[in-house]
Amino acid sequence: MTRDTSEIAGHAKDYLRGFGSTGNNALQQLAAFKDWQRIAQQELERRACRVIGCFDDDILQAIASGQIDLPALANEVAATK
């Protein structure tokens, strides 16, 4: 299930409103930071590392060698839900 961009932006604004409730300075600091795309990509990679760390050596070897296509398996599992 995917959400549209306006819905996602609305949720981000809700979070920022809560974050900014402690003071406007915090929001100004966030607004001044210009590298959010890179930071978001790093966070996605960190989360992927947490998932991959749960697999045993055999699964990791199969993924590393290309015998297992993890995105394809994830899509298969998601389709059954």
Side-chain angles (χ1 to χ4, degrees), residues 10-55:
H11 289 291
K13 286 179 183 179
D14 290 342
Y15 182 82
L16 290 171
R17 281 185 197 97
F19 184 78
S21 66
T22 60
N24 203 30
N25 189 39
L27 287 174
Q28 289 173 345
Q29 288 176 340
L30 291 177
F33 188 72
K34 302 297 182 203
D35 209 7
W36 288 110
Q37 287 179 315
R38 180 183 61 82
I39 298 297
Q41 184 60 44
Q42 285 179 335
E43 177 62 15
L44 289 171
E45 290 169 5
R46 185 188 68 77
R47 291 179 185 186
C49 286
R50 275 197 344 239
V51 170
I52 203 88
C54 296
F55 294 132

